[in-house]
Amino acid sequence: MSDHSPTVLEVRDLKVQFRIDTGGFFSHDYHTIKAVDGVNLEVRRGEILGIVGESGCGKSTLARAIMGLVSAQSGEVCWLGEDLLGLSEEAFRNKRRDIQMIFQDPSGSLDPRMTVGEIIAEPLRTFYPHMSELQVAERVRGMMQMVGLLPDQINRYPHEFSGGQCQRVGIARALVVNPKLVVCDEPVSALDVSVQAQIVNLLKDLQKKLNLSLIFIAHDLSVVRHVSDRVLVMYLGRVMEIADRDQIYLNPRHPYTQALIESVPIPDPVLERARARRLIQGDIPSPQHPPSGCVFRTRCPFAIDECAKSPPVLERTAEGSQVACIRYQELGDLAAAMASEVGDDPEAPAKDRADAH
Ligand SMILES: Nc1ncnc2c1ncn2[C@@H]1O[C@H](COP(=O)(O)OP(=O)(O)OP(=O)(O)O)[C@@H](O)[C@H]1O
Ligand code: SF4
Ligand SMILES: [Mg+2]
């Protein structure tokens, strides 16, 4: 991917809310969860955008809203310049061929009554109903080979496969219709550690070979670092920071990103003892009652009264990243001043940290 690659997906001010019934007598007895609250992002052709954030911050809801699997309250999901949310169901379905999804639980997301051949062929039958049986079988066998499965296993059932093999089936199913964007929602977190790297590398290889755009959601910061060109950090439904992969790991600007990255232990005990860790304090607030203003303020060591007033907008930094923190500039200057006061190289801890992943 080059910096001049065209934007394929643009999400603007996307909001998804869930209504939770509190069980009261009146219809107004409910809470609202702002699972995705004004998200903006873009993905370029051939780019891998990583999305990270603690459990419940809205990563899956964002992915599902992009796929049209959950309704958005407002905002836009523009695919090649066209807003998908404004399309009729049929028009939307046709666009869906371009955007496919890989799910977290490979075994659970495959229908146990269907053979893997039928599972992989299903999207082909939806989007290419005129393909002959022979063409379908040929395409399915080709896909199985491409994802590292034996084409002879076409008539086997999901329960005969390991978790890693089931995820390969999920990948073949997503790619069989030649999509341009694949949304991967924690594609390896349900797998044994020993097979995670194989699946991540397979996805990376296929992405390169097919010049795909990927949205790669993960808990594991080192996995995101390994695969992504850019990284988006979410907290309580909002975007905290978006930056190039190296920049976000070497020079995170948002206090939440800094704390997230510092919470990853360094495998070297000497380096681990030497660094100052700023762990995130307290629990994530209930999404039913998010803090006013900056949603991170109840856990932010730098919060001031002004942070409670209104949610910070994503601002573009001099380095080209985007940060939603009203103090990011002064905090950056402060960190550099503190490091030079103790005669330290301000980059050093960050580099050690980065080398360890
Ligand atoms: N169908 C639903 N109905 C009600 N609330 C929901 C629904 N789906 C998600 N939520 C809530 O929306 C918020 C965001 O959930 P989401 O699953 O998107 O988070 P996530 O970042 O994917 O978490 P995880 O890392 O655990 O997968 C959570 O508070 C969750 O409880
Ligand atoms: S806006 Fe305030 S509370 Fe939010 S991250 Fe910045 S300093 Fe912390
Ligand atoms: Mg999720």
Side-chain angles (χ1 to χ4, degrees):
M1 189 212 52
S2 84
D3 282 352
H4 305 294
S5 301
T7 298
V8 287
L9 179 79
E10 210 174 342
V11 172
R12 294 195 202 116
D13 203 17
L14 189 69
K15 295 186 180 174
V16 183
Q17 299 180 355
F18 296 111
R19 216 172 114 148
I20 307 290
D21 232 316
T22 52
F25 181 75
F26 299 103
S27 60
H28 57 257
D29 289 336
Y30 64 87
H31 286 301
T32 302
I33 293 184
K34 294 177 177 176
V36 172
D37 193 21
V39 166
N40 290 287
L41 63 86
E42 54 186 60
V43 182
R44 284 177 286 184
R45 175 157 299 149
E47 179 184 41
I48 307 184
L49 177 72
I51 300 185
V52 289
E54 285 168 282
S55 184
C57 71
K59 304 180 296 294
S60 297
T61 307
L62 171 61
R64 291 166 67 79
I66 290 171
M67 298 295 303
L69 299 173
V70 63
S71 318
Q73 256 63 36
S74 61
E76 289 178 6
V77 174
C78 294
W79 175 247
L80 303 176
E82 188 174 13
D83 181 16
L84 298 181
L85 301 186
L87 293 180
S88 69
E89 210 166 295
E90 197 189 337
F92 185 82
R93 207 175 43 238
N94 289 333
K95 300 282 171 196
R96 273 287 309 278
R97 193 178 57 202
D98 283 348
I99 312 175
Q100 295 291 319
M101 188 154 176
I102 295 170
F103 297 91
Q104 176 175 2
D105 174 12
S107 318
S109 60
L110 306 179
D111 187 334
R113 296 159 304 179
M114 292 166 79
T115 65
V116 298
E118 287 166 344
I119 290 169
I120 299 170
E122 200 176 35
L124 276 183
R125 298 193 196 284
T126 306
F127 292 112
Y128 299 96
H130 303 302
M131 268 178 102
S132 70
E133 283 305 310
L134 200 66
Q135 286 170 322
V136 169
E138 212 167 287
R139 175 88 183 137
V140 169
R141 284 173 181 275
M143 285 313 303
M144 290 180 75
Q145 202 146 21
M146 194 186 264
V147 300
L149 293 168
L150 296 172
D152 289 352
Q153 297 171 321
I154 193 165
N155 291 320
R156 299 267 186 90
Y157 287 87
H159 72 265
E160 299 176 67
F161 288 85
S162 67
Q165 284 173 319
C166 283
Q167 197 53 300
R168 287 176 196 266
V169 174
I171 295 170
R173 178 184 160 93
L175 297 184
V176 75
V177 288
N178 269 332
K180 297 187 175 77
L181 170 71
V182 181
V183 180
C184 312
D185 188 3
E186 305 220 27
V188 296
S189 53
L191 302 177
D192 284 349
V193 176
S194 56
V195 293
Q196 286 186 358
Q198 292 169 19
I199 298 296
V200 167
N201 289 335
L202 171 68
L203 277 168
K204 246 196 127 173
D205 288 349
L206 291 170
Q207 180 273 334
K208 214 166 170 186
K209 196 164 163 185
L210 305 170
N211 195 27
L212 288 168
S213 305
L214 289 191
I215 291 181
F216 194 102
I217 297 171
H219 268 104
D220 187 332
L221 289 175
S222 50
V223 171
V224 173
R225 173 154 207 219
H226 178 64
V227 301
S228 310
D229 297 305
R230 283 189 308 136
V231 178
L232 181 155
V233 179
M234 275 185 88
Y235 185 81
L236 272 184
R238 300 189 70 92
V239 176
M240 300 288 110
E241 184 163 3
I242 309 178
D244 284 351
R245 179 255 311 261
D246 287 338
Q247 202 174 318
I248 216 151
Y249 285 88
L250 297 175
N251 185 20
R253 303 301 303 268
H254 194 285
Y256 178 57
T257 317
Q258 291 167 357
L260 257 192
I261 289 172
E262 284 172 14
S263 66
V264 178
I266 297 176
D268 181 325
V270 179
L271 286 180
E272 175 64 22
R273 269 196 303 275
R275 75 171 170 163
R277 286 175 80 174
R278 224 174 326 167
L279 298 180
I280 312 171
Q281 303 296 320
D283 293 326
I284 193 162
S286 159
Q288 291 173 25
H289 307 287
S292 61
C294 173
V295 282
F296 185 55
R297 75 179 167 81
T298 51
R299 299 168 85 192
C300 178
F302 309 109
I304 52 175
D305 289 351
E306 211 186 322
C307 300
K309 287 186 184 153
S310 55
V313 290
L314 264 184
E315 268 184 48
R316 205 167 275 280
T317 68
E319 300 87 32
S321 61
Q322 291 167 276
V323 185
C325 167
I326 56 170
R327 302 191 70 194
Y328 85 89
Q329 250 162 340
E330 58 177 304
L331 294 177
D333 296 344
L334 192 69
M338 278 164 65
S340 61
E341 240 169 57
V342 290
D344 207 359
D345 171 3
E347 293 264 281
K351 281 216 176 87
D352 295 343
R353 208 165 51 219
D355 291 345
H357 300 308

